Amino acid sequence: MLLLRPAALVTLMRAAAGCGGGGGRRGGAGGVCRCRDPPGVLRIPSLSSAPQVRRCSAPPQPVIAAKEPFPVELKAGKKYAWCSCGHSRSQPFCDGAHKKAAPGLSPLRFTPEEDKTAWLCGCKRTRSPPYCDGTHKEEAVRGARVSTQP
């Protein structure tokens, strides 16, 4: 069995928690670390009397750009970047708006193998991105508000 000194153990636990070793992204009192992991709280055993808690915020969710798909003429071999966050003003394609509006999301890059007309998802809830699968017809999307760009 591998035995570690307390300082080495704390360093390993901080690294596993994504807090870095030398303070880096560590926040506030009590060793609270903000991260982009799935929602929840992970309790990390501590050698001190105060428990360390790592709070994880929910990953950013896409906004609904449109409640219908976008018909697009795709060219074989051309590279496309489909907006997955819903904030782009160049829907259905990415214009980089996710960098400020939804930093945890990135565009879906794809290259069609043949020239074709495709229906690209506008609600950003499709289960077959970037293509529309009819999810926009569901009540959860129909009842939701469409994003308005400033």
Side-chain angles (χ1 to χ4, degrees), residues 6-104:
L9 185 58
V10 169
T11 301
L12 283 174
M13 290 186 328
R14 285 184 180 154
C19 295
R25 294 187 329 156
R26 233 172 119 209
V32 175
C33 176
R34 303 266 179 226
C35 63
R36 289 191 180 144
D37 292 341
V41 173
L42 174 63
R43 298 202 178 273
I44 301 172
S46 175
L47 298 175
S48 66
S49 59
Q52 288 185 342
V53 177
R54 185 174 123 205
R55 299 191 191 283
C56 297
S57 57
Q61 294 297 312
V63 297
I64 297 173
K67 293 185 181 183
E68 64 277 333
F70 296 94
V72 178
E73 289 294 326
L74 301 175
K75 301 294 178 197
K78 183 176 177 185
K79 295 179 182 179
Y80 295 93
W82 175 73
C83 170
S84 64
C85 73
H87 293 283
S88 173
R89 292 184 184 196
S90 304
Q91 291 294 334
F93 301 111
C94 178
D95 67 0
H98 64 277
K99 293 174 187 172
K100 280 190 173 184

Side-chain angles (χ1 to χ4, degrees), residues 5-6 17 19 24 28-29 33 45-46 59 66 82 97 108-109 117 119 121 124 128-129 138-139 142 149:
R5 292 178 296 150
C19 295
C33 176
S46 175
W82 175 73
L108 175 79
R109 300 181 196 311
T117 299
W119 293 89
C121 178
K124 312 303 176 189
S128 58
E138 294 177 4
E139 187 57 36
R142 284 280 156 222
Q149 266 76 31

